[in-house]
Amino acid sequence: MPAEETMMTSRIEVTNPSEGVRIVRVDAPPANRFNYALREELLKVLDEAERDEAVRAIVLTGTGEAFCAGDDLREAVTRGDQAVDGLKQFGRMLDLIEQGRVPVIAAVNGHAVGGGFELALACDIRIGSTSANFIAAGVNVGLMASVYRLPRLIGISRAKAILLTGLPVRAEQALSHGIITELHAPAELMPAALKLAERIASRAPLSVEATKRQVDRVYGMERAEAMRAAVGELATLTKTRDHFEAVDAFVNKRQPVFARS
């Protein structure tokens, strides 16, 4: 898909603003809530990006006042025996973001509630608008969520204070906790996300993908095991053309041209 081209599904906008970068925007007003159909749309869009090797970084965001306000509770009460299928569908989407080759930046523009909070947590990097807030809403609706990703990100004590109360976490607190790594005025959020994505997309693609893969893989391993895994991946990268191209470009003070080989 060439730069500047926009594709619309019924509620997902896909834009390619620059080489290697794809913006995926959830546009389901008023709160970008996930019903079954919307989750399926987003899953398909993310899967297509994963298979397109021209895509090197994704920015995931929402429209209006919400990043994603979680599950569509009106639909949820009608699902009956299909509720578990919906959870599995949502899990596949999170796994694709978390385990896929493409780095995903969550540009959290507003409310990230319940499943929307979990969606942001599954992304590789989260940056936020000053109007963003985060709610682990599981206990508010008689369920639970984020019990794996949130403690792993910010520690058990802070996570429990968020998970057990269901209270909002404002943008400044999210920054201090490390839920987000940058905080921007609303008008500056997407330019900042795009700049970050373009930087990632300009790096050697095999190197970026290996780095994402290994960071997730070695977390929690014993040091010796983690080092063996990392060294094996690094040994492979040292033989790639892109490695030699990156070094030559640095030495000769030019922009590298990567071939994904």
Side-chain angles (χ1 to χ4, degrees):
M1 196 180 294
E4 300 302 332
E5 181 179 345
T6 299
M7 175 185 72
M8 286 292 294
T9 67
S10 60
R11 286 157 296 186
I12 305 291
E13 177 185 323
V14 179
T15 307
N16 296 274
S18 56
E19 185 176 359
V21 174
R22 182 160 294 180
I23 297 175
V24 177
R25 189 185 303 271
V26 181
D27 184 17
N32 300 328
R33 292 188 181 276
F34 274 138
N35 58 25
Y36 190 93
L38 181 57
R39 286 198 303 267
E40 191 65 24
E41 287 181 27
L42 184 54
L43 183 59
K44 289 178 180 178
V45 165
L46 293 170
D47 183 62
E48 193 278 332
E50 179 71 13
R51 290 183 282 106
D52 184 351
E53 292 185 349
V55 179
R56 298 185 181 181
I58 294 171
V59 177
L60 178 61
T61 192
T63 58
E65 297 181 357
F67 173 73
C68 173
D71 200 5
D72 184 341
L73 297 180
R74 290 185 178 86
E75 182 191 84
V77 299
T78 70
R79 289 176 192 151
D81 294 340
Q82 295 181 328
V84 174
D85 291 337
L87 291 174
K88 290 179 178 177
Q89 177 202 47
F90 187 53
R92 289 195 301 273
M93 185 171 66
L94 298 182
D95 287 346
L96 181 58
I97 293 171
E98 205 165 46
Q99 300 172 16
R101 66 169 186 87
V102 184
V104 181
I105 300 163
V108 185
N109 55 297
H111 309 300
V113 182
F117 190 4
E118 190 74 359
L119 179 66
L121 291 174
C123 295
D124 299 287
I125 300 170
R126 287 157 299 282
I127 67 174
S129 159
T130 52
S131 60
N133 67 82
F134 303 81
I135 304 176
V139 296
N140 297 342
V141 292
L143 297 172
M144 68 176 189
S146 306
V147 297
Y148 174 75
R149 291 183 176 89
L150 188 61
R152 195 169 181 259
L153 180 66
I154 67 172
I156 290 176
S157 180
R158 283 178 169 172
K160 282 184 176 179
I162 295 169
L163 295 170
L164 297 177
T165 63
L167 291 171
V169 179
R170 304 301 179 190
E172 293 79 6
Q173 186 180 6
L175 180 64
S176 67
H177 282 359
I179 295 172
I180 57 176
T181 56
E182 298 178 19
L183 190 59
H184 299 277
E188 297 171 0
L189 178 64
M190 286 307 294
L194 184 58
K195 181 179 179 180
L196 186 57
E198 288 174 340
R199 171 66 185 185
I200 293 171
S202 72
R203 303 301 89 189
L206 295 178
S207 174
V208 168
E209 292 164 19
T211 299
K212 173 175 175 173
R213 183 167 58 245
Q214 286 300 321
V215 166
D216 289 334
R217 180 183 177 192
V218 305
Y219 186 91
M221 284 184 180
E222 294 293 333
R223 184 180 185 279
E225 183 183 6
M227 290 301 294
R228 283 194 297 271
V231 167
E233 189 92 64
L234 185 59
T236 299
L237 290 173
T238 62
K239 301 173 185 177
T240 62
R241 293 179 181 178
D242 282 354
H243 165 61
F244 291 107
E245 168 66 10
V247 173
D248 184 75
F250 176 80
V251 170
N252 291 290
K253 297 181 173 58
R254 62 176 178 81
Q255 289 297 315
V257 179
F258 296 117
R260 196 182 174 77
S261 62

